[in-house]
């Protein structure tokens, strides 16, 4: 039994509040247990120079934590005049993951900006940002269809992510901060609804890990992602039904 009473293979409660912010084309408040993140998807009618005149769009992401989102207050990056390396790593991961589920040539020369702002961190923020980012992205694409700016829904698969780790020899799904800080192995698994892997980050924190633990972590992560995808489908049901896509 874990500190919050969960079984080893149990996710924290997951909740999506769509249209959490009014101005961007898509937005969501995603909660995984005590981790809470606002993710927005905003559209800009231009692309980075390397894509100009190529008749395709782009998707990029930014990630940040509010100072009071962590147990110990975290200074804003502006205080050190450079962005925290961890945030850079995470935002590149979010962008890479979400680019796999969309045909960017179907949106024309537009850039989708995904902004993930952690308002409360309790482990698993990069995974929740990806899972919630998918919801904000879908809402933004529906907005573009409603405005007549794109003809076809460009999303072709669901992207979802979960953390898994080894704590005191046991494989635990969806680590909270206390578990994460005790973990010997920390893994983030990103997959789609076709059962394919998008990215796996597996880190032995100061120790190596066995093949047996690796296999167990993947098994637990895949099962967790199945459950999250079920919730993502439910929350987007109104969009997929209206558009008539099987996602
Ligand atoms: N954390 C923190 N301060 C930081 C970075 C992380 O308190 O500057 C906490 C936070 O709860 C976060 C957890 O440590 O969710 C795990 O951080 P990690 O870098 O493993 O990323 P995450 O699991 O959030 O994707």
């Amino acid at each position: 039994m874990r500190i919050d009473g969960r079984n080893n293979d149990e996710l924290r409660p997951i909740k999506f509040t769509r249209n959490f912010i009014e101005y961007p084309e898509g937005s969501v408040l995603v909660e995984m247990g005590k981790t809470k993140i606002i993710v927005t998807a905003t559209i800009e009618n231009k692309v980075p120079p390397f894509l100009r005149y190529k008749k395709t769009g782009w998707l990029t992401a930014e990630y940040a934590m509010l100072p009071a989102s962590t147990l110990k207050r975290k200074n804003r990056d502006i205080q050190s005049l450079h962005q925290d390396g961890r945030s850079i790593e995470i935002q590149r991961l979010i962008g890479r993951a979400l680019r796999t589920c969309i045909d960017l040539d179907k949106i024309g020369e537009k850039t989708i900006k995904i902004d993930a702002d952690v308002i409360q961190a309790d482990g698993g923020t990069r995974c929740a940002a990806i899972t919630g980012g998918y919801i904000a992205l879908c809402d933004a694409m529906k907005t573009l269809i409603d405005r007549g700016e794109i003809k076809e829904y460009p999303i072709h698969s669901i992207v979802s992510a979960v953390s898994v780790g080894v704590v005191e020899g046991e494989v635990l799904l969806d680590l909270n901060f206390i578990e994460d800080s005790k973990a010997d192995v920390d893994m983030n698994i990103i997959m789609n609804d076709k059962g394919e892997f998008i990215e796996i980050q597996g880190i032995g924190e100061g120790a190596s890990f066995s093949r047996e633990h690796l296999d167990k972590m993947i098994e637990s992560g895949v099962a967790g992602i199945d459950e999250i995808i079920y919730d993502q489908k439910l929350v987007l049901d109104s969009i997929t039904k209206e558009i008539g896509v099987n996602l």
Side-chain angles (χ1 to χ4, degrees):
M1 186 77 87
R2 296 158 74 170
I3 34 175
D4 55 6
R6 277 185 293 157
N7 294 323
N8 290 357
D9 60 354
E10 196 176 331
L11 294 170
R12 295 175 289 181
I14 181 163
K15 187 176 166 200
F16 302 102
T17 309
R18 278 172 58 201
N19 306 316
F20 191 69
I21 302 224
E22 197 170 331
Y23 303 135
E25 280 78 2
S27 73
V28 69
L29 169 70
V30 52
E31 297 172 68
M32 284 204 78
K34 290 200 286 178
T35 286
K36 298 182 189 198
I37 310 177
I38 299 171
V39 195
T40 61
T42 310
I43 310 297
E44 283 182 1
N45 283 317
K46 59 180 185 189
V47 285
F50 72 95
L51 287 175
R52 220 169 276 161
Y53 313 119
K54 295 209 166 129
K55 293 195 163 85
T56 185
W58 187 237
L59 181 152
T60 184
E62 293 186 14
Y63 166 101
M65 294 175 120
L66 280 190
S69 68
T70 48
L71 226 49
K72 181 174 174 296
R73 185 185 182 276
K74 185 179 164 72
N75 278 338
R76 293 180 199 271
D77 287 346
I78 191 75
Q79 299 295 337
S80 56
L81 297 179
H82 66 81
Q83 199 184 9
D84 174 9
R86 173 179 172 275
S87 299
I88 296 173
E89 178 201 332
I90 293 178
Q91 68 193 28
R92 293 191 64 208
L93 172 71
I94 299 169
R96 278 198 304 274
L98 293 177
R99 280 195 294 272
T100 65
C101 73
I102 179 167
D103 285 328
L104 288 166
D105 50 357
K106 288 189 179 155
I107 65 166
E109 293 201 353
K110 298 184 195 312
T111 297
I112 304 163
K113 292 233 158 128
I114 303 289
D115 284 292
D117 286 279
V118 179
I119 58 174
Q120 187 164 282
D122 186 30
T125 61
R126 74 193 69 198
C127 292
I130 291 168
T131 302
Y134 173 77
I135 306 292
L137 173 61
C138 292
D139 265 317
M141 294 306 100
K142 174 70 167 59
T143 302
L144 290 186
I145 287 186
D146 291 347
R147 286 187 193 155
E149 291 189 37
I150 57 173
K151 287 194 183 67
E152 219 182 315
Y153 190 61
I155 310 285
H156 54 71
S157 54
I158 301 172
V159 176
S160 189
V162 79
S163 79
V164 55
V166 179
V167 180
E168 289 160 6
E170 305 231 19
V171 172
L172 304 185
L173 181 65
D174 189 18
L175 308 185
N176 60 28
F177 171 64
I178 295 176
E179 291 169 338
D180 185 281
S181 48
K182 288 192 298 190
D184 296 318
V185 190
D186 187 7
M187 183 173 270
N188 296 291
I189 303 181
I190 299 115
M191 294 182 73
N192 65 23
D193 60 316
K194 299 171 174 59
E196 295 163 342
F197 293 96
I198 293 168
E199 193 151 332
I200 301 180
Q201 302 184 320
I203 302 136
E205 308 257 15
S208 49
F209 56 95
S210 66
R211 173 64 189 264
E212 193 194 345
H213 269 145
L214 173 66
D215 292 344
K216 278 192 179 156
M217 282 188 287
I218 292 188
E219 193 185 323
S220 176
V222 168
I225 281 186
D226 269 354
E227 287 184 47
I228 300 173
I229 287 178
Y230 179 84
D231 289 338
Q232 287 173 302
K233 280 185 178 172
L234 267 188
V235 81
L236 287 172
D237 195 47
S238 59
I239 288 190
T240 46
K241 277 213 179 96
E242 196 180 323
I243 292 172
V245 289
N246 188 21
L247 283 173

